[in-house]
């Protein structure tokens, strides 16, 4: 199994090289040159395995320069009962929203209460093993975050030998709880910096640093190399494929479907990584009928799916679902590569247009392929809160602001089309990470306290739900990181943090 770049398939690397580098030297993203194929009997075999067993099988098929023992060690260390609160790190909650079935895949039971834990608890193990196979340098991991990735990456890489991690987040673009999670982070190898800008500015800045040949050489000369914990890194995206196969197997075991039955997948997404993982599962053989791409008011993906034109030249909205406040969906590049059957020249043309003009339009053949399996939708903050309030007050299920976007878009889709296909809805974060917006939804009209942790306590009291222990523990932690820089100063922050001139 080799990997090449989305914009130059002449660049070919091993799995460990792809994970260690994070991004190709030409600025493209690494993609597998082959996609493993699973039969229905292979999928049926997953019903007899636990989550860790399913993960070991899928990872082994993509990481053939890892031994079975190495993969087992990575998986067993990542997905422990202690970290995820149970034997299944990604359980399904079977709910009803009126007469619509909601198979809610809860991906937020990990140590940072967000779905990013599903990948970022295993990535440090994959990365350190990859580094040992490919280099003797220390990895400097750069992360741009819209809220959840930052904390999950910091927690995953905390005090991991041979790594240093730096996280950049938009100063006014994350929730108070997300900010507190990052700025109080423990660990001797971590650093956090807010930037004056939005997530797209942070993501663009990180990519620029990765491809700055002078800066890369300076780090190499000082014994460092850059890597990434964002989903531009294949080692971040690959573990996410697992929970779609696992959820399907769990639904079979629960009697909701039979092996071979098609499902839909509804995913709240901004950077297109989570929904792309489900597309990889589909390409591997998971029977998917429709991918439902759910956006908030930053609905660039909805427009792209409907028109074939990706245009980031639009108003940017800071919403109550901040992890989706993204106008440049980096993982869409991988999707376009596969949709065009590996046409790297065409993907490069589109990505160049995006950088230079802020927009591109795909060809009609590619647009038709996307329309055959994808649909998009979005909802406003007002609708998001309406869904949270209705889902809890009428039906007793409390969800966060991102999950509510997916529930809303799926509900609209089901009512419009009459499609009764069983649907997995990704629940991506604990409602307690966005306590103010969730409280406003379930306790409409009531005066709320000004303190974040008082709101957390009130939400728990109002809904008779438990505050996740890692979030409750933040109340007594001291702030360690308060640096704010301009987006043009990100490289300077990296160098000064490393003590490199």
């Amino acid at each position: 199994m080799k990997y090449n770049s989305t914009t130059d398939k002449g660049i070919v690397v091993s799995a460990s090289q792809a994970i260690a580098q994070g991004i190709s030297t030409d600025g493209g993203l690494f993609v597998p040159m082959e996609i493993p194929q699973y039969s229905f009997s292979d999928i049926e075999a997953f019903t007899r395995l636990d989550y860790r067993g399913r993960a070991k099988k899928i990872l082994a098929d993509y990481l053939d320069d890892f031994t079975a023992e190495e993969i087992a060690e990575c998986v067993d260390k990542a997905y422990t009962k202690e970290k995820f609160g149970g034997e299944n790190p990604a359980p399904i909650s079977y709910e009803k929203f009126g007469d619509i079935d909601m198979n809610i895949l809860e991906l937020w039971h990990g140590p940072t209460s967000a779905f990013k834990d599903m990948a970022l608890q295993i990535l440090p193990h994959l990365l350190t093993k990859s580094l040992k196979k490919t280099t003797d340098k220390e990895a400097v991991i750069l992360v741009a975050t819209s809220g959840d990735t930052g904390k999950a990456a910091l927690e995953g890489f905390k005090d991991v030998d041979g790594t240093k991690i730096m996280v950049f987040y938009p100063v006014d673009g994350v929730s108070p709880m997300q900010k507190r999670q990052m700025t109080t982070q423990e660990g001797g190898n971590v650093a956090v910096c807010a930037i004056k800008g939005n997530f797209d500015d942070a993501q663009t800045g990180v990519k620029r640093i990765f491809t700055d040949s002078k800066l890369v050489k300076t780090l190499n000369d000082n014994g460092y190399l850059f890597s990434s914990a964002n989903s531009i890194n294949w080692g971040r995206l690959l573990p996410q494929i697992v929970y779609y196969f696992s959820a399907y197997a769990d639904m079979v075991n629960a009697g909701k479907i039979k092996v071979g039955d098609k499902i839909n997948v509804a995913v709240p997404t901004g950077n297109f990584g989570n929904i792309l993982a489900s597309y990889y599962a589909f390409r591997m053989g998971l029977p998917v009928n429709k991918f439902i791409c759910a956006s908030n008011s930053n609905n660039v993906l909805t427009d792209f799916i409907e028109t074939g034109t990706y245009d980031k030249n639009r108003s940017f909205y800071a919403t109550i679902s901040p992890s989706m406040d993204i106008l440049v969906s980096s993982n869409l590049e991988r999707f376009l590569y596969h949709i065009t059957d590996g046409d790297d020249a065409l993907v490069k043309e589109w990505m160049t247009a995006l950088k230079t003009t802020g927009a591109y339009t795909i060809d009609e053949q590619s647009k038709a392929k996307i329309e055959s399996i994808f649909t998009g939708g979005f909802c406003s903050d007002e609708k998001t809160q309406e869904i949270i309030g209705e889902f809890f007050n009428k039906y007793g299920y409390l969800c966060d602001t991102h999950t509510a976007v997916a529930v809303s878009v799926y509900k609209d889709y089901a009512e419009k089309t009459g499609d009764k296909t069983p649907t997995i809805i990704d629940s991506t974060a604990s409602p307690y990470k966005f306590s103010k917006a969730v409280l406003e939804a379930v306790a409409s009209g009531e005066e709320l306290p000004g303190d974040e942790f008082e709101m957390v306590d009130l939400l728990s009291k109002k809904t008779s739900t438990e505050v996740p222990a890692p979030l409750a523990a933040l109340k007594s932690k001291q702030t360690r990181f308060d640096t704010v820089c301009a987006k043009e100063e990100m490289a300077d922050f990296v160098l000064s943090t490393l003590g490199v001139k």
Side-chain angles (χ1 to χ4, degrees):
M1 175 69 74
K2 297 293 183 181
Y3 294 77
N4 54 14
S5 168
T6 50
T7 51
D8 182 357
K9 58 186 178 185
I11 297 174
V12 178
V13 300
S14 66
S16 54
Q17 286 174 298
I19 293 171
Q21 282 182 227
I23 190 170
S24 177
T25 52
D26 70 323
L29 305 185
F30 287 120
V31 289
M33 294 177 68
E34 305 168 52
I35 295 179
Q37 297 299 300
Y38 291 175
S39 66
F40 287 161
S41 62
D42 293 325
I43 295 172
E44 195 274 335
F46 282 143
T47 65
R48 299 188 295 275
L49 298 174
D50 63 7
Y51 191 91
R52 289 182 290 274
R54 297 161 185 168
K56 290 170 188 175
K57 163 63 177 168
I58 292 168
L59 266 61
D61 287 337
Y62 280 100
L63 307 177
D64 62 0
D65 57 346
F66 284 65
T67 66
E69 291 75 20
E70 287 174 325
I71 290 173
E73 183 183 357
C74 292
V75 169
D76 290 339
K77 285 183 176 179
Y79 302 117
T80 65
K81 182 178 180 180
E82 291 71 27
K83 287 180 179 178
F84 287 89
E87 293 296 338
N88 187 352
I92 299 175
S93 184
Y94 301 103
E95 305 291 335
K96 279 272 195 182
F97 196 122
D99 60 351
I100 299 175
D101 289 328
M102 298 273 173
N103 305 296
I104 299 179
L105 179 59
E106 295 182 345
L107 300 170
W108 44 264
H109 291 281
T112 75
S113 303
F115 83 100
K116 306 298 175 71
D117 289 325
M118 298 301 300
L120 284 164
Q121 281 300 304
I122 194 169
L123 178 60
H125 303 294
L126 295 173
L127 181 61
T128 51
K129 284 179 170 33
S130 295
L131 290 170
K132 289 176 182 177
K133 296 174 187 290
T134 59
T135 183
D136 59 356
K137 290 181 167 53
E138 186 170 359
V140 177
I141 299 152
L142 303 184
V143 179
T145 185
S146 54
D148 287 332
T149 291
K151 172 59 180 178
L154 289 163
E155 190 65 26
F157 281 95
K158 176 182 67 178
D159 293 328
V160 171
D161 290 342
T163 68
K164 295 185 185 299
I165 181 167
M166 302 179 200
V167 168
F168 297 93
Y169 71 93
V171 65
D172 295 317
V174 300
S175 77
M177 186 64 78
Q178 288 173 317
K179 180 177 179 179
R180 186 158 182 83
Q181 282 186 300
M182 289 186 282
T183 58
T184 61
Q185 177 65 46
E186 299 167 347
N189 64 334
V190 306
V192 178
C193 180
I195 68 156
K196 299 171 185 174
N198 58 35
F199 169 76
D200 293 324
D201 296 320
Q203 181 168 252
T204 299
V206 165
K207 283 189 173 182
R208 188 178 296 121
I209 292 170
F210 268 103
T211 54
D212 184 330
S213 56
K214 183 179 178 182
L215 187 57
V216 170
K217 184 179 185 305
T218 298
L219 259 70
N220 279 331
D221 291 345
N222 285 272
Y224 297 111
L225 61 81
F226 284 129
S227 190
S228 173
N230 282 93
S231 56
I232 57 174
N233 190 320
W234 177 249
R236 234 300 293 281
L237 187 61
L238 171 58
Q240 294 180 257
I241 297 172
V242 176
Y243 51 70
Y244 290 104
F245 279 104
S246 185
Y248 189 93
D250 286 346
M251 288 180 70
V252 171
N253 287 338
K256 300 294 182 179
I257 56 174
K258 299 187 297 291
V259 173
D261 288 351
K262 287 190 174 184
I263 59 167
N264 293 333
V265 177
V267 185
T269 188
N271 217 16
F272 207 77
N274 201 358
I275 199 165
L276 178 64
S278 68
Y279 175 74
Y280 273 113
F282 165 70
R283 290 288 298 263
M284 292 167 69
L286 191 71
V288 178
N289 171 59
K290 189 70 74 172
F291 298 91
I292 301 162
C293 181
S295 302
N296 60 19
S297 296
N298 296 294
N299 60 333
V300 63
L301 286 169
T302 306
D303 288 349
F304 170 70
I305 292 168
E306 291 180 350
T307 68
T309 295
Y310 193 99
D311 189 354
K312 71 169 185 174
N313 301 310
R314 61 181 64 210
S315 298
F316 175 86
Y317 300 101
T319 74
I320 59 172
S321 47
S323 298
M324 299 161 65
D325 290 348
I326 296 170
L327 293 180
V328 180
S329 306
S330 62
N331 265 293
L332 193 61
E333 183 175 335
R334 282 187 170 111
F335 179 62
L336 293 173
Y337 181 87
H338 292 300
I339 283 289
T340 59
D341 298 322
D343 192 335
D344 56 340
L346 192 54
V347 173
K348 185 173 183 178
E349 178 185 320
W350 292 336
M351 292 304 103
T352 301
L354 182 63
K355 290 172 187 173
T356 55
T357 70
Y360 61 87
T361 299
I362 63 174
D363 60 278
E364 285 299 320
Q365 183 179 4
S366 299
K367 181 174 179 289
K369 285 184 181 179
I370 294 171
E371 286 178 334
S372 68
I373 52 173
F374 269 77
T375 186
F378 72 98
C379 73
S380 65
D381 279 357
E382 292 75 19
K383 181 66 173 177
T384 301
Q385 288 190 310
E386 180 186 318
I387 288 290
I388 294 171
E390 184 180 1
F391 206 0
F392 178 74
N393 291 322
K394 283 190 177 181
Y395 308 110
Y397 188 84
L398 186 67
C399 64
D400 85 297
T401 51
H402 302 76
T403 305
V405 169
V407 168
S408 176
V409 171
Y410 171 61
K411 185 170 177 286
D412 288 346
Y413 167 81
E415 290 173 346
K416 178 181 178 181
T417 64
D419 184 355
K420 301 291 187 182
T421 305
T423 300
I424 292 171
I425 300 172
D426 282 11
S427 179
T428 55
S430 164
Y432 286 93
K433 297 192 78 168
F434 310 94
S435 54
K436 182 175 187 292
V438 175
L439 256 179
E440 288 173 343
V442 299
S444 180
E446 293 188 26
E447 185 175 346
L448 303 183
D451 178 76
E452 178 75 9
F453 289 96
E454 288 180 10
M455 283 191 276
V456 165
D457 291 339
L458 181 58
L459 181 60
S460 178
K461 182 179 179 181
K462 284 278 184 187
T463 62
S464 299
T465 56
E466 191 173 344
V467 183
L471 299 184
L474 289 173
K475 188 174 183 178
S476 60
K477 288 192 175 184
Q478 297 298 310
T479 297
R480 291 185 64 199
F481 304 104
D482 57 8
T483 302
V484 181
C485 77
K487 58 188 179 182
E488 297 82 7
E489 299 170 338
M490 291 169 63
D492 294 334
F493 176 82
V494 172
L495 292 174
S496 64
T497 300
L498 294 173
V500 171
K501 295 183 179 179

